[in-house]
Amino acid sequence: MSTKPSIRVIGSLNIDFVTLTPRVPGPGETLSATSMTVHAGGKGANQAVACGKAAFTAPGQQDVSVSMIGAVGKGDPYYESLLRPTLEKSGVSTSHVQEIEGVQTGTATIIVDEGSNGENRILFVPGANHQVTDVGKVVEAATKDGVPDVIVMQGEIPRSTVLGLLETFNSSDHKTAVIFNPAPVFTEGIPLASLKDLAVLVVNETECILVFEAVPELKGTVADLPRPEDITQQHLDVMTAILHERANISIVVVTLGARGVYYSANAGSQRALVPAAKVQKVVDTTGAGDTFVGYLSTALARHMATPTPALDQFDLKAAVNTATQAAAKCVQTSGAMESIPFGYE
């Protein structure tokens, strides 16, 4: 009997306090909002849930094993009653989530502007997420049951941990594919060495530009960096070519919101702009990017477990199309984890 493909998501776990408002209040202004709800969140946990849900081929049938690695505050009632049950119901193992004394679980206060097509503004308090500092312990947890097919990481745990993990898992000693979504992009920058030989870089248009500002070796390689809203396919062709050449990143994916998704693989041998799936009404964009990353990660894990796991054999176009459809379904419902669809849907 064959073992399931495996994904380890290393990242943040938060409690999200979501306020819906007709508009964002100005300085010193008090405004009546529409509602406030509490949700399980954190980019790491969101992406783990997306991986877990994407792996369900039918109710109760999951073809990829998914585990979450991160930290929460010990005794946090929201972890016991909300965050852990949400992860586990989505098919995610929480056996490697550490509960730490004397710190709070990370929180995010999310303001959803109903007057601007559901756009959100987020205030993040790291809490226990910033206690994930021992690279050796994280590597041990991630490889406890063997080296996983895919490792997924973001930017909501300490920079030093992320950079250490990237350099460890991108090395040829570890037969794993790393998907890195640098959200948020570290203000202190990212050394090019940390991106070297990365399997997949996933960014939105803002993060794409910030990477070229945050990686010292990439500064000045693109003349007149555009504003995020002005980025074109021509810009993306140039930028991804530089990332392939300078960092040997196999696959670069740039999500463009309502404009769709751009991808480039194997130094441009696969390259396209995929239009966004049409949505009748956008309710809440929270979690859409994480849904995309989760579905892409699950498709890659399935590929890595085949007899021909080389990245240049990965059907990136099909994976991007499926992930785009899942993200489109996500934005039609409020909340982050709750709005992520199951694979069989």
Side-chain angles (χ1 to χ4, degrees):
M1 187 176 173
S2 62
T3 309
K4 286 180 185 177
S6 59
I7 298 173
R8 301 290 176 266
V9 181
I10 304 168
S12 56
L13 299 105
N14 293 338
I15 304 301
D16 289 352
F17 299 93
V18 181
T19 301
L20 269 60
T21 176
R23 63 178 175 80
V24 177
E29 180 185 12
T30 300
L31 184 69
S32 291
T34 308
S35 65
M36 197 287 282
T37 50
V38 183
H39 303 268
K43 290 199 75 65
N46 287 347
Q47 291 179 10
V49 165
C51 291
K53 286 187 168 185
F56 278 92
T57 54
Q61 293 181 23
Q62 196 180 22
D63 67 349
V64 178
S65 163
V66 182
S67 292
M68 178 77 218
I69 299 171
V72 295
K74 189 169 181 64
D76 187 326
Y78 282 121
Y79 177 63
E80 293 298 330
S81 65
L82 178 63
L83 192 44
R84 186 166 70 183
T86 303
L87 285 159
E88 291 174 350
K89 283 174 189 171
S90 304
V92 179
S93 168
T94 59
S95 59
H96 295 302
V97 175
Q98 187 182 4
E99 297 186 53
I100 301 176
E101 288 273 12
V103 294
Q104 68 179 83
T105 302
T107 64
T109 301
I110 302 169
I111 300 169
V112 180
D113 186 350
E114 296 173 298
S116 295
N117 212 24
E119 285 296 327
N120 59 65
R121 290 166 170 79
I122 302 173
L123 293 164
F124 172 52
V125 178
N129 295 308
H130 273 199
Q131 303 297 312
V132 183
T133 54
D134 190 325
V135 174
K137 278 188 179 178
V138 175
V139 171
E140 187 182 337
T143 57
K144 189 176 180 183
D145 304 315
V147 178
D149 296 290
V150 171
I151 296 273
V152 183
M153 289 192 289
Q154 324 75 33
E156 285 185 347
I157 60 173
R159 174 180 178 269
S160 58
T161 307
V162 172
L163 300 186
L165 291 169
L166 284 171
E167 290 176 27
T168 299
F169 286 117
N170 287 341
S171 73
S172 57
D173 297 338
H174 291 84
K175 305 290 184 188
T176 189
V178 177
I179 293 187
F180 181 40
N181 172 219
V185 176
F186 300 118
T187 53
E188 306 94 325
I190 305 170
L192 193 65
S194 300
L195 299 177
K196 195 83 174 161
D197 302 323
L198 179 66
V200 185
L201 178 70
V202 182
V203 287
N204 62 25
E205 61 267 67
T206 301
E207 292 151 3
C208 183
I209 290 163
L210 287 173
V211 163
F212 276 80
E213 295 173 342
V215 178
E217 297 90 338
L218 297 182
K219 278 188 177 178
T221 56
V222 179
D224 300 321
L225 273 173
R227 294 180 304 172
E229 61 270 26
D230 296 331
I231 203 165
T232 65
Q233 185 166 352
Q234 189 175 2
H235 288 126
L236 293 166
D237 287 345
V238 171
M239 295 165 91
T240 53
I242 290 168
L243 290 167
H244 290 312
E245 182 187 342
R246 298 286 183 96
N248 195 36
I249 299 173
S250 298
I251 295 168
V252 182
V253 180
V254 185
T255 59
L256 302 165
R259 289 186 286 164
V261 177
Y262 173 93
Y263 65 83
S264 177
N266 313 315
S269 62
Q270 294 185 69
R271 178 179 282 169
L273 178 60
V274 178
K278 289 187 177 176
V279 173
Q280 212 164 26
K281 186 188 176 187
V282 174
V283 175
D284 182 3
T285 59
T286 308
D290 296 331
T291 299
F292 182 92
V293 171
Y295 268 78
L296 183 65
S297 302
T298 304
L300 182 59
R302 289 171 177 143
H303 169 74
M304 295 295 290
T306 66
T308 54
L311 286 170
D312 61 5
Q313 300 295 309
F314 179 46
D315 189 347
L316 181 57
K317 180 180 179 181
V320 166
N321 278 324
T322 302
T324 301
Q325 293 289 336
K329 195 166 178 62
C330 168
V331 301
Q332 296 177 71
T333 311
S334 64
M337 294 184 190
E338 309 94 318
S339 63
I340 299 169
F342 283 93
Y344 56 82
E345 294 177 316

